[in-house]
Amino acid sequence: MNSVNRLDQSKLSGSTLEQVQKALYDHFSGVAVHLDGPIGIRPNSEIYRAHIDTFAPIEAAVKHCLVPGTRLPDQSAAKEQFLALERVHGALAKRNTRYRVPTPLYFAPTLATFAMSWVDGESLTKKMRHPAVLIDGPGWFEDIGADRKSTRLN
């Protein structure tokens, strides 16, 4: 099976995609919302790139969370990830840091989907897993709301 077929079979169903687009349209006061992708597919999620035609256009990532190995929306995972994004964004926004975290934009719990600002570059998750990551002294993990005991870097 080639990758194009895999992408076609994995992406959101037409009705779910329309629901996500409509939810974003409603949230952003009726401006046009264009979704491209999926640009990333994993067993537990699909990520789309969105262009939101507000006065100052917004580039966003839209993540649809799935129960692993199914096409069913995973509402609890979406909520947990969105809350974690809010916590990390809030903690890092207060610091003079070289890392940027996407701004949480919108959460649609019934669709198990959330939107965040698009940030170009290498992800913080990849940086944290890289053995050469430099951590900004003691307390850095706690500042972003992480628990050292449950955080694995490899």
Side-chain angles (χ1 to χ4, degrees), residues 34-81:
H34 310 279
L35 292 176
D36 297 322
I39 59 169
I41 297 174
R42 296 198 174 159
N44 63 344
S45 66
E46 297 171 344
I47 299 176
Y48 293 78
R49 187 159 187 170
H51 179 79
I52 304 165
D53 290 333
T54 51
F55 179 73
I58 299 170
E59 294 295 320
V62 176
K63 185 171 187 178
H64 179 62
C65 297
L66 301 168
V67 175
T70 74
R71 302 298 309 139
L72 301 173
D74 191 338
Q75 296 171 345
S76 63
K79 180 179 180 180
E80 182 180 314
Q81 291 178 35

Side-chain angles (χ1 to χ4, degrees), residues 98-148:
R98 63 181 175 224
Y99 300 110
R100 291 183 54 210
V101 175
T103 302
L105 298 174
Y106 176 67
F107 175 48
T110 58
L111 297 172
T113 301
F114 58 95
M116 65 199 104
S117 63
W118 186 268
V119 176
D120 286 318
E122 188 174 8
S123 77
L124 182 57
T125 301
K126 286 182 184 176
K127 284 279 197 193
M128 289 175 65
R129 289 183 180 150
H130 191 277
V133 68
L134 296 177
I135 297 174
D136 189 19
W140 187 82
F141 280 110
E142 290 82 2
D143 286 349
I144 63 169
D147 175 5
R148 280 183 192 262

